[in-house]
Amino acid sequence: MSPSFPNLLVVGCVLSLLLLWKKSRELSLPPGPRNWPWHYSPPVKSTQKSWIRYAEWKKVYGPVASYTRRKSFIIVINTAKAAVDLLEKRSRIYSDRPASVMVGELMEFDRSFFRLSISNPRFQIYRKLFHQELGPQAVKAHISTLERETRTYLRNLLREPANFRKHIKRFSSSIVIKIAFGYSVVSENDHFVGLVNAWFDHANSQLATAGQWMVDSYPFLKHLPRWLPGAAFLRFADEERKKHRELLSAPLNWVKTQIAEGKEIPSFASRRLSRPQRSPEDDDITKYVAASIYFGGGDTNAAALITFILLMVLHPEIQQRAREELDRVVGTDRLPNIDDAENLPYVNALIKEVLRFHPVAPLAVPHRVTEDDEYDGMRIPKGSTIVVNIWSILHDESVYPNHMKFDPERHLSNLTKSQAGPQPDPRNYVFGFGRRVCPGIHLAEVALFLAISSTLAVFEISKATDKDGNLITPRVAFAEGIVSFANAFDCAITPRSLAVMDLLNLGED
């Protein structure tokens, strides 16, 4: 006997109700602006920086927000708790990088350490080599290089104070080129420094926004003819690929020539290339790790140092207090060294506050989740791009009261009774999370301490004057980019005394 229509109708209704019940039980995606006209989205000013816009989302959507850009689903994390919960405690599935036809395939970045997938067998090899070269104990072998480059930077600043940005970039690049390849920068227009600066200046702002390239959502676009209108992205990728290949090969070829001529200089690359038994695979690994040291470590420190100069122009009272501590602890007959660091709490607090006030990579480098996950009642789909708003974390009013005030005292233990400090160390966040923590963190910390403490010990940093003698107050503004630099500004940098000038002439390299 066949089922009657009423019975079929009842079964159908029950199944429909079950499906609706199951759907209602499914977790929702993190809230955020959508492409639907009826979905509320906070107003966005055209001049608003992305890290500030994302931070404002926190007021509307909470600590975790999401949005879709073409076919990319992007999750924005705006608090330290959410970042630690996901990227630290669940680092196994939150440490990959987003797949990108543009950056990975067309620009050929996917084998570099900072883009490499954690599933690639090379990832652990790269991490081990970085630790051997730049780990907390290994960095001690590079102290003499750091001190020598610090003196060169100070002398350049003395000769041409108006070109402080150029001197800072040279200082940061010289350190990593020396460590990676044994190459000494002796010219203001050095070829290798020019290579990395040209690549960075071209790529930094263009690679900063998650999901920005249409070819990542529609891969067939990579086959378009270069001459076709709308194919400018392919010509851009061609230029970046060419620059990247030269960055990978030129310094390494220099090392190989030095070895062949018996003039090798100790470095990461020379030690690896001088091993008697090595394979082409070994040499390829050496190429990518050396290059990652080379162009991964220079601009981040440079951005922090330029921010430091800007903040010292605006806060002479803080500059003076740090200088008084240096004079009391170090004296005026020598430059600070790394052994002085533990006795300079205010200088260390100042460095932390520079990193907090404007983190060098406000949105870090995006992560990718490799499995479906759940967090705080929200569904996080496999393959989502994860953007951590480090700027928002370090400007959380509940953690850093009066967050837009530059105040090193927030990092000291002897705060006033009205403050519950010291506040969280920004270094726990600015160098990344989980398995993607910056491998050069220890080198960066030493380099920043030596450069900042020595600059304070030797120079007065103040406002520049215009042609009528009026003081110029620089504007606090920063450019978009993976690494975010302060916009151009003028300042006056003068030696504290003739004795300081004599100090810089000692040990001329």
Side-chain angles (χ1 to χ4, degrees):
M1 182 176 177
S2 61
S4 65
F5 176 76
N7 289 338
L8 290 174
L9 184 63
V10 169
V11 171
C13 289
V14 169
L15 290 174
S16 297
L17 289 172
L18 286 173
L19 288 172
L20 288 172
W21 176 81
K22 181 180 179 182
K23 187 173 182 63
S24 70
R25 300 277 294 177
E26 287 181 356
L27 297 174
S28 298
L29 296 170
R34 296 290 184 262
N35 295 325
W36 307 317
W38 59 85
H39 192 96
Y40 172 72
S41 178
V44 175
K45 299 177 182 177
S46 60
T47 58
Q48 197 175 48
K49 299 302 181 185
S50 53
W51 51 86
I52 296 176
R53 182 168 70 251
Y54 289 158
E56 290 187 356
W57 287 4
K58 182 174 65 172
K59 302 173 186 176
V60 180
Y61 304 119
V64 180
S66 69
Y67 69 100
T68 300
R69 185 163 191 180
R70 301 189 181 97
K71 291 187 177 181
S72 297
F73 186 70
I74 301 161
I75 292 175
V76 179
I77 296 174
N78 273 311
T79 65
K81 182 181 185 303
V84 170
D85 285 348
L86 296 178
L87 276 67
E88 293 279 355
K89 296 179 181 179
R90 306 182 193 180
S91 63
R92 182 184 65 83
I93 63 172
Y94 280 90
S95 296
D96 213 1
R97 293 296 191 211
S100 172
V101 174
M102 181 67 170
V103 178
E105 183 179 338
L106 297 177
M107 295 185 186
E108 297 182 349
F109 286 3
D110 267 2
R111 283 198 290 173
S112 68
F113 177 75
F114 303 105
R115 281 283 312 163
L116 194 70
S117 170
I118 57 169
S119 63
N120 191 308
R122 282 193 178 189
F123 183 75
Q124 293 299 335
I125 297 172
Y126 285 4
R127 286 185 67 184
K128 180 179 179 181
L129 290 174
F130 264 107
H131 181 76
Q132 291 173 350
E133 191 66 33
L134 300 177
Q137 294 304 314
V139 161
K140 295 177 182 178
H142 302 307
I143 296 297
S144 60
T145 294
L146 290 161
E147 291 177 338
R148 182 172 58 254
E149 293 300 337
T150 299
R151 289 196 302 272
T152 300
Y153 152 69
L154 295 172
R155 287 195 290 268
N156 288 336
L157 207 53
L158 177 63
R159 286 190 286 261
E160 287 185 298
N163 288 323
F164 66 92
R165 293 179 82 101
K166 180 178 72 173
H167 304 322
I168 285 173
K169 286 190 175 185
R170 180 193 186 279
F171 163 75
S172 298
S173 296
S174 297
I175 291 170
V176 290
I177 292 174
K178 184 70 174 179
I179 290 172
F181 304 107
Y183 179 84
S184 296
V185 176
V186 295
S187 167
E188 289 298 317
N189 300 306
D190 184 86
H191 176 63
F192 290 155
V193 174
L195 280 179
V196 73
N197 285 342
W199 172 83
F200 178 84
D201 291 344
H202 197 218
N204 185 44
S205 62
Q206 298 294 328
L207 303 179
T209 306
Q212 72 182 94
W213 298 106
M214 190 173 291
V215 69
D216 289 339
S217 295
Y218 307 99
F220 70 88
L221 294 174
K222 67 183 178 182
H223 300 298
L224 292 176
R226 264 56 176 174
W227 53 263
L228 197 70
F233 74 94
L234 289 173
R235 296 189 291 274
F236 174 79
D238 291 342
E239 291 181 49
E240 289 306 303
R241 182 172 63 253
K242 180 180 177 181
K243 288 185 175 71
H244 188 229
R245 287 177 177 177
E246 189 172 8
L247 276 172
L248 287 171
S249 61
L252 201 69
N253 288 339
W254 180 85
V255 175
K256 291 177 179 178
T257 299
Q258 296 297 108
I259 293 173
E261 295 176 355
K263 298 186 297 186
E264 68 182 89
I265 301 168
S267 68
F268 169 79
S270 67
R271 286 189 293 273
R272 292 272 303 171
L273 294 175
S274 297
R275 294 175 304 154
Q277 294 182 337
R278 66 183 201 277
S279 66
E281 173 79 0
D282 290 333
D283 285 1
D284 198 57
I285 289 171
T286 299
K287 175 174 70 175
Y288 278 97
V289 174
S292 295
I293 296 172
Y294 174 31
F295 58 75
D299 287 293
T300 48
N301 268 358
L305 289 173
I306 291 171
T307 299
F308 157 73
I309 296 291
L310 172 63
L311 293 169
M312 292 303 95
V313 174
L314 297 170
H315 299 281
E317 74 290 351
I318 291 174
Q319 181 183 168
Q320 181 58 29
R321 180 173 170 182
R323 187 175 293 114
E324 289 171 357
E325 183 181 68
L326 282 160
D327 288 350
R328 184 172 63 252
V329 174
V330 178
T332 58
D333 60 346
R334 67 175 177 85
L335 294 175
N337 60 50
I338 194 61
D339 294 330
D340 296 315
E342 60 183 322
N343 299 315
L344 296 167
Y346 191 78
V347 171
N348 284 316
L350 185 153
I351 295 171
K352 291 177 184 179
E353 185 67 349
V354 168
L355 295 173
R356 185 203 70 83
F357 187 82
H358 188 74
V360 296
L363 299 178
V365 179
H367 290 226
R368 182 176 76 97
V369 62
T370 56
E371 297 178 8
D372 287 330
D373 196 23
E374 172 188 343
Y375 179 69
D376 200 18
M378 295 174 285
R379 177 168 60 91
I380 298 181
K382 175 182 177 180
S384 299
T385 294
I386 311 296
V387 174
V388 184
N389 190 351
I390 295 177
W391 189 93
S392 175
I393 290 172
L394 296 176
H395 285 264
D396 186 333
E397 184 71 31
S398 67
V399 180
Y400 301 98
N402 201 3
H403 65 95
M404 288 306 296
K405 179 182 179 181
F406 180 73
D407 182 14
E409 288 201 35
R410 68 173 78 241
H411 305 292
L412 297 174
S413 57
N414 57 338
L415 294 175
T416 63
K417 292 181 180 180
S418 63
Q419 296 172 300
Q423 292 161 22
D425 190 337
R427 294 175 299 181
N428 293 334
Y429 310 117
V430 296
F431 291 105
F433 298 87
R435 302 180 190 186
R436 291 292 183 174
V437 168
C438 173
I441 178 174
H442 306 291
L443 179 70
E445 289 178 339
V446 176
L448 286 176
F449 171 80
L450 291 175
I452 288 177
S453 63
S454 296
T455 302
L456 290 167
V458 171
F459 295 106
E460 295 270 2
I461 305 169
S462 57
K463 294 179 181 179
T465 56
D466 63 20
K467 58 183 177 60
D468 298 319
N470 300 310
L471 293 175
I472 302 171
T473 300
R475 180 169 169 261
V476 179
F478 296 86
E480 293 269 9
I482 297 174
V483 178
S484 176
F485 280 84
N487 290 352
F489 63 93
D490 294 321
C491 66
I493 301 176
T494 55
R496 293 177 61 194
S497 67
L498 292 176
V500 165
M501 295 174 68
D502 291 337
L503 178 62
L504 290 186
N505 289 328
L506 295 176
E508 190 85 34
D509 294 326

